[in-house]
Amino acid sequence: MARIKLTVAYDGTDFSGWQLQPRQRTVQGVVEKAIMKITHAPARVHGSGRTDSGVHAMGQVAHFNCDDHWCSIPWQRALNGHMPKDVRILHSEVVDDDFHARYSARGKVYEYTLWHHSAFCLPQRRRFVWNCGDVDFETMESAAAILLGTHDFAAFQNVGTVVKTTTRTITSISRRPGITEHETIWRFEANGFLKQMVRIIMSCLVACGRGKLSVEELQLILESADRSKAPATAPPQGLSLISVHYP
């Protein structure tokens, strides 16, 4: 058997997330269906993580196994020929058998896009931003600073996934302008993320930027390890998985 690594981009708007679900349209299901059309055999696709319904990706990583004689085909072009327009394979390659899209990963990068014009949101951007209104960037950056480093992020994890530990290390939180004058992009880099962790952190930072949560209160939320202390989860459409890092 050969192992094929894929880098996948998708618009998550019309998907019920990455993971297979009965009678639901999922990215994993679409990719597996495309593989079967080529090999005429079922293949289980393993992703680096499970993006939620409405969340996008520019660099999701996945792998699957196939018979050796399929190694030489151009998988990127072949799969894209069977993909809907909201999913594309960016890269494909044969990898060693010990590579695993999820368990071999050493870090991930997510970006979350905020829209700041409270009067309107461009129709072309509504699927990819959270219209949060005006916020104070300096306060948000001060709040973000306390989340850097290694912490127990239990207060920033929604239910649904069993993990061995809720400790993660955030190496960077940065901000830059978006593609329009009304947007900012917040970039999060860490050795791993808990379920909806970035969305909960983003909701906390926005609450700080609106003056509804102080930096000191955010510190207490972090130390509490209690999800009920943090604000509601930010909406999914502003979030995108940008890349996954491997050794």
Side-chain angles (χ1 to χ4, degrees):
M1 298 292 288
R3 181 158 293 186
I4 309 297
K5 175 186 175 186
L6 304 173
T7 304
V8 190
Y10 47 88
D11 174 347
T13 305
D14 298 323
F15 287 100
S16 296
W18 165 269
Q19 187 180 15
L20 286 173
Q21 298 181 55
R23 298 177 297 279
Q24 299 292 323
R25 185 174 186 257
T26 68
V27 182
Q28 182 183 5
V30 164
V31 177
E32 290 185 0
K33 184 177 180 181
I35 294 170
M36 180 173 272
K37 286 183 177 179
I38 296 168
T39 65
H40 306 290
R44 179 46 38 90
V45 174
H46 300 270
S48 67
R50 304 169 181 177
T51 53
D52 292 325
S53 176
V55 173
H56 316 291
M58 289 292 292
Q60 171 71 285
V61 175
H63 80 266
F64 68 95
N65 295 333
C66 62
D67 289 337
D68 285 337
H69 67 271
W70 292 109
C71 276
S72 61
I73 76 165
W75 277 104
Q76 178 194 20
R77 186 176 65 187
L79 286 173
N80 282 338
H82 295 286
M83 291 288 184
K85 292 182 179 180
D86 47 3
V87 183
R88 281 294 175 268
I89 305 300
L90 304 183
H91 182 71
S92 65
E93 61 180 302
V94 179
V95 292
D96 294 337
D97 291 345
D98 60 356
F99 172 84
H100 194 285
R102 178 181 176 187
Y103 299 120
S104 300
R106 293 295 176 266
K108 292 182 181 179
V109 178
Y110 280 91
E111 290 184 346
Y112 197 104
T113 304
L114 299 177
W115 180 275
H116 303 292
H117 198 303
S118 57
F120 69 86
C121 179
L122 283 174
Q124 295 89 341
R125 299 299 295 145
R126 63 184 176 83
R127 289 183 163 205
F128 305 101
V129 300
W130 174 19
N131 188 358
C132 68
D134 293 331
V135 290
D136 184 276
F137 293 137
E138 290 187 5
T139 301
M140 293 177 71
E141 289 174 344
S142 296
I146 72 171
L147 301 175
L148 295 174
T150 303
H151 303 282
D152 181 351
F153 284 97
F156 302 88
Q157 175 188 232
N158 274 340
V159 298
T161 302
V162 177
V163 294
K164 292 181 179 179
T165 175
T166 51
T167 298
R168 297 291 186 272
T169 300
I170 296 181
T171 55
S172 175
I173 302 176
S174 58
R175 173 178 64 89
R176 73 174 192 274
I179 64 173
T180 75
E181 61 179 330
H182 303 302
E183 298 173 46
T184 58
I185 298 173
W186 292 79
R187 186 179 180 93
F188 301 84
E189 302 182 36
N191 64 347
F193 293 92
L194 302 168
K195 180 177 175 61
Q196 298 182 349
M197 177 174 159
V198 176
R199 290 168 60 189
I200 298 169
I201 289 176
M202 196 73 257
S203 70
C204 288
L205 297 184
V206 167
C208 291
R210 288 171 169 172
K212 296 182 178 180
L213 188 72
S214 70
V215 176
E216 293 75 20
E217 288 171 327
L218 180 59
Q219 178 72 54
L220 292 175
I221 291 172
L222 176 63
E223 295 171 356
S224 75
D226 184 351
R227 172 66 187 94
S228 68
K229 304 292 185 183
T233 307
Q237 72 271 11
L239 184 62
S240 183
L241 172 58
I242 300 301
S243 61
V244 185
H245 299 161
Y246 296 92

